[in-house]
Amino acid sequence: GLAADFGSWSIINRGTLTASGVYDGIATEAVRIQNVTSTAGIRNSGTIIASSFEADSVGVRLTGDTNAPELRAEQDISATVTGDGDATALLIDSTVTLPVVINDSTQSTLSARADGGDAVVVRDLSGTVTSFTNSGVLQASQNTDDGDDAGATIARDFSVNTSGSSILNTVP
């Protein structure tokens, strides 16, 4: 059954979730988890894609008073911006509590691609991520073929964390 295959998680994505801002200036968030208290964690075993033109794009955003013990990505989460705007695959806002993030599969790629703004794969603005494990791919890239100035290109941004965090990169 479902419980045997996927265990006990509060939120599970097993399908494909796509947000496309087809007009200039329309920001996208493929998944927004806001004001959720999760006792069992968040699991992505599907595909999450966000794309926009001339606006910010976020694959998964945790915001508000969201509290979860873990976020586990077993498949792709991506954000892409064409033109000015920031691309962030996983954005953890300042009010969120999320101590553990795991990118847990060689089939899993967390990616951000920007065309002038920042390209950030994982940005923790809460400072609560104390454990980050990666056995997949983290890919931040810029497209500057059109002459736009490149923004920052960052795989992991834990710059607001003042208590420390462990980061483990493994190859299965």
Side-chain angles (χ1 to χ4, degrees), residues 41-62:
I42 301 162
R43 181 176 175 184
N44 177 51
S45 60
T47 301
I48 299 172
I49 302 166
S51 62
S52 67
F53 296 91
E54 303 288 342
D56 293 347
S57 181
V58 177
V60 175
R61 181 178 182 187
L62 280 65

PDB file of all heavy atoms in Angstrom, residues 41-62:
ATOM      1  N   GLY A  41       7.311  15.481   8.325  1.00  0.00           N
ATOM      2  CA  GLY A  41       8.202  15.976   7.289  1.00  0.00           C
ATOM      3  C   GLY A  41       7.576  16.085   5.913  1.00  0.00           C
ATOM      4  O   GLY A  41       6.420  15.736   5.686  1.00  0.00           O
ATOM      5  N   ILE A  42       8.390  16.579   4.984  1.00  0.00           N
ATOM      6  CA  ILE A  42       7.970  16.874   3.613  1.00  0.00           C
ATOM      7  C   ILE A  42       8.850  16.061   2.680  1.00  0.00           C
ATOM      8  O   ILE A  42      10.079  16.062   2.812  1.00  0.00           O
ATOM      9  CB  ILE A  42       8.131  18.381   3.316  1.00  0.00           C
ATOM     10  CG1 ILE A  42       7.299  19.204   4.307  1.00  0.00           C
ATOM     11  CG2 ILE A  42       7.760  18.697   1.877  1.00  0.00           C
ATOM     12  CD1 ILE A  42       7.705  20.668   4.392  1.00  0.00           C
ATOM     13  N   ARG A  43       8.217  15.351   1.717  1.00  0.00           N
ATOM     14  CA  ARG A  43       8.962  14.473   0.817  1.00  0.00           C
ATOM     15  C   ARG A  43       8.563  14.740  -0.627  1.00  0.00           C
ATOM     16  O   ARG A  43       7.390  14.756  -0.969  1.00  0.00           O
ATOM     17  CB  ARG A  43       8.662  13.026   1.165  1.00  0.00           C
ATOM     18  CG  ARG A  43       9.403  12.025   0.308  1.00  0.00           C
ATOM     19  CD  ARG A  43       9.113  10.636   0.790  1.00  0.00           C
ATOM     20  NE  ARG A  43       9.721   9.642  -0.071  1.00  0.00           N
ATOM     21  CZ  ARG A  43       9.556   8.350   0.076  1.00  0.00           C
ATOM     22  NH1 ARG A  43       8.814   7.893   1.064  1.00  0.00           N
ATOM     23  NH2 ARG A  43      10.120   7.506  -0.752  1.00  0.00           N
ATOM     24  N   ASN A  44       9.571  14.956  -1.476  1.00  0.00           N
ATOM     25  CA  ASN A  44       9.329  15.091  -2.910  1.00  0.00           C
ATOM     26  C   ASN A  44       9.918  13.881  -3.619  1.00  0.00           C
ATOM     27  O   ASN A  44      11.132  13.715  -3.669  1.00  0.00           O
ATOM     28  CB  ASN A  44       9.953  16.369  -3.475  1.00  0.00           C
ATOM     29  CG  ASN A  44       9.750  16.448  -4.972  1.00  0.00           C
ATOM     30  OD1 ASN A  44       8.634  16.304  -5.460  1.00  0.00           O
ATOM     31  ND2 ASN A  44      10.824  16.637  -5.713  1.00  0.00           N
ATOM     32  N   SER A  45       9.047  13.041  -4.161  1.00  0.00           N
ATOM     33  CA  SER A  45       9.510  11.926  -4.985  1.00  0.00           C
ATOM     34  C   SER A  45       8.975  12.081  -6.402  1.00  0.00           C
ATOM     35  O   SER A  45       8.950  11.134  -7.172  1.00  0.00           O
ATOM     36  CB  SER A  45       9.110  10.576  -4.376  1.00  0.00           C
ATOM     37  OG  SER A  45       7.712  10.484  -4.274  1.00  0.00           O
ATOM     38  N   GLY A  46       8.540  13.299  -6.726  1.00  0.00           N
ATOM     39  CA  GLY A  46       8.078  13.641  -8.066  1.00  0.00           C
ATOM     40  C   GLY A  46       8.978  14.719  -8.645  1.00  0.00           C
ATOM     41  O   GLY A  46      10.138  14.841  -8.268  1.00  0.00           O
ATOM     42  N   THR A  47       8.432  15.524  -9.538  1.00  0.00           N
ATOM     43  CA  THR A  47       9.186  16.584 -10.195  1.00  0.00           C
ATOM     44  C   THR A  47       8.496  17.916  -9.942  1.00  0.00           C
ATOM     45  O   THR A  47       7.275  18.020 -10.090  1.00  0.00           O
ATOM     46  CB  THR A  47       9.287  16.322 -11.706  1.00  0.00           C
ATOM     47  OG1 THR A  47       9.930  15.062 -11.911  1.00  0.00           O
ATOM     48  CG2 THR A  47      10.074  17.405 -12.409  1.00  0.00           C
ATOM     49  N   ILE A  48       9.282  18.929  -9.569  1.00  0.00           N
ATOM     50  CA  ILE A  48       8.754  20.265  -9.312  1.00  0.00           C
ATOM     51  C   ILE A  48       9.536  21.242 -10.180  1.00  0.00           C
ATOM     52  O   ILE A  48      10.765  21.296 -10.099  1.00  0.00           O
ATOM     53  CB  ILE A  48       8.862  20.636  -7.825  1.00  0.00           C
ATOM     54  CG1 ILE A  48       8.039  19.648  -6.979  1.00  0.00           C
ATOM     55  CG2 ILE A  48       8.419  22.070  -7.594  1.00  0.00           C
ATOM     56  CD1 ILE A  48       8.214  19.804  -5.485  1.00  0.00           C
ATOM     57  N   ILE A  49       8.814  22.018 -11.010  1.00  0.00           N
ATOM     58  CA  ILE A  49       9.448  22.928 -11.972  1.00  0.00           C
ATOM     59  C   ILE A  49       8.777  24.289 -11.905  1.00  0.00           C
ATOM     60  O   ILE A  49       7.554  24.388 -12.007  1.00  0.00           O
ATOM     61  CB  ILE A  49       9.322  22.389 -13.408  1.00  0.00           C
ATOM     62  CG1 ILE A  49       9.940  20.998 -13.530  1.00  0.00           C
ATOM     63  CG2 ILE A  49       9.943  23.359 -14.406  1.00  0.00           C
ATOM     64  CD1 ILE A  49       9.560  20.274 -14.797  1.00  0.00           C
ATOM     65  N   ALA A  50       9.580  25.353 -11.759  1.00  0.00           N
ATOM     66  CA  ALA A  50       9.076  26.724 -11.822  1.00  0.00           C
ATOM     67  C   ALA A  50       9.880  27.480 -12.872  1.00  0.00           C
ATOM     68  O   ALA A  50      11.102  27.336 -12.935  1.00  0.00           O
ATOM     69  CB  ALA A  50       9.205  27.414 -10.469  1.00  0.00           C
ATOM     70  N   SER A  51       9.185  28.260 -13.700  1.00  0.00           N
ATOM     71  CA  SER A  51       9.892  29.067 -14.697  1.00  0.00           C
ATOM     72  C   SER A  51       9.167  30.389 -14.888  1.00  0.00           C
ATOM     73  O   SER A  51       7.952  30.471 -14.744  1.00  0.00           O
ATOM     74  CB  SER A  51       9.992  28.325 -16.032  1.00  0.00           C
ATOM     75  OG  SER A  51       8.706  28.079 -16.555  1.00  0.00           O
ATOM     76  N   SER A  52       9.964  31.427 -15.188  1.00  0.00           N
ATOM     77  CA  SER A  52       9.376  32.749 -15.390  1.00  0.00           C
ATOM     78  C   SER A  52      10.217  33.560 -16.362  1.00  0.00           C
ATOM     79  O   SER A  52      11.350  33.200 -16.675  1.00  0.00           O
ATOM     80  CB  SER A  52       9.247  33.491 -14.054  1.00  0.00           C
ATOM     81  OG  SER A  52      10.523  33.778 -13.543  1.00  0.00           O
ATOM     82  N   PHE A  53       9.616  34.670 -16.820  1.00  0.00           N
ATOM     83  CA  PHE A  53      10.279  35.622 -17.701  1.00  0.00           C
ATOM     84  C   PHE A  53      10.303  36.976 -17.001  1.00  0.00           C
ATOM     85  O   PHE A  53       9.250  37.484 -16.609  1.00  0.00           O
ATOM     86  CB  PHE A  53       9.528  35.752 -19.039  1.00  0.00           C
ATOM     87  CG  PHE A  53       9.516  34.485 -19.825  1.00  0.00           C
ATOM     88  CD1 PHE A  53       8.485  33.573 -19.669  1.00  0.00           C
ATOM     89  CD2 PHE A  53      10.543  34.183 -20.707  1.00  0.00           C
ATOM     90  CE1 PHE A  53       8.475  32.396 -20.385  1.00  0.00           C
ATOM     91  CE2 PHE A  53      10.545  33.011 -21.426  1.00  0.00           C
ATOM     92  CZ  PHE A  53       9.505  32.107 -21.267  1.00  0.00           C
ATOM     93  N   GLU A  54      11.507  37.528 -16.812  1.00  0.00           N
ATOM     94  CA  GLU A  54      11.656  38.861 -16.213  1.00  0.00           C
ATOM     95  C   GLU A  54      11.020  38.954 -14.824  1.00  0.00           C
ATOM     96  O   GLU A  54      10.482  39.994 -14.451  1.00  0.00           O
ATOM     97  CB  GLU A  54      11.059  39.936 -17.125  1.00  0.00           C
ATOM     98  CG  GLU A  54      11.639  39.989 -18.512  1.00  0.00           C
ATOM     99  CD  GLU A  54      13.053  40.553 -18.568  1.00  0.00           C
ATOM    100  OE1 GLU A  54      13.491  41.207 -17.610  1.00  0.00           O
ATOM    101  OE2 GLU A  54      13.726  40.316 -19.588  1.00  0.00           O
ATOM    102  N   ALA A  55      11.064  37.859 -14.033  1.00  0.00           N
ATOM    103  CA  ALA A  55      10.509  37.864 -12.673  1.00  0.00           C
ATOM    104  C   ALA A  55      11.120  36.699 -11.894  1.00  0.00           C
ATOM    105  O   ALA A  55      11.659  35.761 -12.482  1.00  0.00           O
ATOM    106  CB  ALA A  55       8.992  37.725 -12.707  1.00  0.00           C
ATOM    107  N   ASP A  56      11.015  36.756 -10.560  1.00  0.00           N
ATOM    108  CA  ASP A  56      11.562  35.697  -9.716  1.00  0.00           C
ATOM    109  C   ASP A  56      10.831  34.377  -9.936  1.00  0.00           C
ATOM    110  O   ASP A  56       9.633  34.353 -10.246  1.00  0.00           O
ATOM    111  CB  ASP A  56      11.455  36.084  -8.244  1.00  0.00           C
ATOM    112  CG  ASP A  56      12.340  37.265  -7.881  1.00  0.00           C
ATOM    113  OD1 ASP A  56      13.212  37.643  -8.686  1.00  0.00           O
ATOM    114  OD2 ASP A  56      12.150  37.803  -6.773  1.00  0.00           O
ATOM    115  N   SER A  57      11.578  33.289  -9.740  1.00  0.00           N
ATOM    116  CA  SER A  57      11.037  31.947  -9.886  1.00  0.00           C
ATOM    117  C   SER A  57      11.533  31.083  -8.730  1.00  0.00           C
ATOM    118  O   SER A  57      12.729  31.061  -8.443  1.00  0.00           O
ATOM    119  CB  SER A  57      11.488  31.357 -11.233  1.00  0.00           C
ATOM    120  OG  SER A  57      10.968  30.073 -11.419  1.00  0.00           O
ATOM    121  N   VAL A  58      10.593  30.371  -8.054  1.00  0.00           N
ATOM    122  CA  VAL A  58      10.935  29.529  -6.911  1.00  0.00           C
ATOM    123  C   VAL A  58      10.309  28.154  -7.111  1.00  0.00           C
ATOM    124  O   VAL A  58       9.110  28.047  -7.359  1.00  0.00           O
ATOM    125  CB  VAL A  58      10.432  30.145  -5.582  1.00  0.00           C
ATOM    126  CG1 VAL A  58      10.734  29.231  -4.404  1.00  0.00           C
ATOM    127  CG2 VAL A  58      11.038  31.521  -5.373  1.00  0.00           C
ATOM    128  N   GLY A  59      11.125  27.111  -6.968  1.00  0.00           N
ATOM    129  CA  GLY A  59      10.616  25.745  -7.060  1.00  0.00           C
ATOM    130  C   GLY A  59       9.749  25.405  -5.863  1.00  0.00           C
ATOM    131  O   GLY A  59       8.562  25.123  -5.987  1.00  0.00           O
ATOM    132  N   VAL A  60      10.332  25.414  -4.660  1.00  0.00           N
ATOM    133  CA  VAL A  60       9.606  25.149  -3.408  1.00  0.00           C
ATOM    134  C   VAL A  60       9.927  26.267  -2.430  1.00  0.00           C
ATOM    135  O   VAL A  60      11.096  26.557  -2.175  1.00  0.00           O
ATOM    136  CB  VAL A  60      10.011  23.795  -2.783  1.00  0.00           C
ATOM    137  CG1 VAL A  60       9.347  23.602  -1.424  1.00  0.00           C
ATOM    138  CG2 VAL A  60       9.661  22.641  -3.714  1.00  0.00           C
ATOM    139  N   ARG A  61       8.874  26.882  -1.882  1.00  0.00           N
ATOM    140  CA  ARG A  61       9.039  27.940  -0.889  1.00  0.00           C
ATOM    141  C   ARG A  61       8.323  27.544   0.390  1.00  0.00           C
ATOM    142  O   ARG A  61       7.126  27.279   0.382  1.00  0.00           O
ATOM    143  CB  ARG A  61       8.477  29.254  -1.392  1.00  0.00           C
ATOM    144  CG  ARG A  61       8.654  30.389  -0.396  1.00  0.00           C
ATOM    145  CD  ARG A  61       8.148  31.692  -0.928  1.00  0.00           C
ATOM    146  NE  ARG A  61       8.384  32.761   0.028  1.00  0.00           N
ATOM    147  CZ  ARG A  61       7.924  33.981  -0.128  1.00  0.00           C
ATOM    148  NH1 ARG A  61       7.231  34.311  -1.208  1.00  0.00           N
ATOM    149  NH2 ARG A  61       8.175  34.894   0.789  1.00  0.00           N
ATOM    150  N   LEU A  62       9.066  27.529   1.489  1.00  0.00           N
ATOM    151  CA  LEU A  62       8.494  27.343   2.810  1.00  0.00           C
ATOM    152  C   LEU A  62       8.431  28.709   3.451  1.00  0.00           C
ATOM    153  O   LEU A  62       9.441  29.432   3.488  1.00  0.00           O
ATOM    154  CB  LEU A  62       9.349  26.393   3.647  1.00  0.00           C
ATOM    155  CG  LEU A  62       9.163  24.896   3.368  1.00  0.00           C
ATOM    156  CD1 LEU A  62       9.596  24.525   1.981  1.00  0.00           C
ATOM    157  CD2 LEU A  62       9.884  24.080   4.403  1.00  0.00           C
TER     158      LEU A  62
END
